[in-house]
Amino acid sequence: MKLVRLSEPRPFRLLADVTNQMCNGWIYAPLALWVIFLHEWKLLFALLSGVVVAHLLYGSTKPRLARERPFHFAKNVPYRGRCLDQYSFPSGHCMTLSVVGVLLCWQHHRAIPELVFGLLLLCWARVASGQHYPSDLIAGIGVGSFVATSLALCLF
């Protein structure tokens, strides 16, 4: 995993660690408060519903697929950070950020560049920390985007 080795310098490790930690759930509280501040109750309902539905799909499929994380499989990939579950496919972090991001951008189109940047940063951080393969990230983004788009078409 060349990307893991290229991410070894301290500033890159720190950026990956902070990004992973923020996407463990910490980033979503300020986003929810922002939506509440704007009094966008339908969007808040969509966000909560989307995260719940996506995690129901995620929780029922991830243990069945049981793909080992890169740091379990490859000896040259260091383990950095804390995993929230045992397996890697699909990425729950990318799935959750995709659900939230697509729904937010559905209502606030100007947030698209921030979503794209945040998703790319998260994808890099998940691979750089040895927790995911690129296909895990693509699958997580796909599941999250599917759930969010389906909800947005029904609600908005």
Side-chain angles (χ1 to χ4, degrees):
M1 307 263 321
K2 188 175 182 177
L3 184 60
V4 175
R5 286 192 306 277
L6 291 173
S7 302
E8 283 300 313
R10 185 168 170 75
F12 293 123
R13 279 195 327 241
L14 180 61
L15 179 59
D17 292 345
V18 168
T19 301
N20 283 320
Q21 185 64 33
M22 289 301 294
C23 289
N24 278 351
W26 296 105
I27 192 72
Y28 301 110
L31 289 173
L33 289 173
W34 178 66
V35 172
I36 291 168
F37 177 76
L38 295 175
H39 301 285
E40 295 194 31
W41 307 116
K42 192 182 242 184
L43 177 57
L44 184 63
F45 174 76
L47 290 169
L48 294 171
S49 299
V51 169
V52 168
V53 168
H55 278 272
L56 288 172
L57 289 170
Y58 169 86
S60 64
T61 58
K62 195 165 186 172
R64 291 181 188 174
L65 298 171
R67 183 178 192 183
E68 293 290 325
R69 293 186 181 275
F71 68 83
H72 286 141
F73 182 72
K75 300 295 183 212
N76 62 340
V77 175
Y79 167 69
R80 289 202 317 256
R82 179 177 72 95
C83 295
L84 299 179
D85 57 34
Q86 183 178 359
Y87 301 114
S88 72
F89 187 87
S91 168
H93 284 77
C94 286
M95 178 193 68
T96 305
L97 187 57
S98 295
V99 167
V100 170
V102 167
L103 288 168
L104 284 173
C105 290
W106 199 279
Q107 294 299 99
H108 300 277
H109 304 302
R110 289 196 298 224
I112 291 172
E114 289 83 358
L115 169 66
V116 171
F117 175 76
L119 203 49
L120 289 173
L121 181 63
L122 177 61
C123 287
W124 165 78
R126 300 306 288 165
V127 172
S129 63
Q131 297 188 22
H132 285 290
Y133 298 98
S135 58
D136 302 338
L137 309 172
I138 293 167
I141 292 168
V143 170
S145 297
F146 173 76
V147 169
T149 302
S150 300
L151 266 172
L153 289 171
C154 291
L155 295 175
F156 302 118

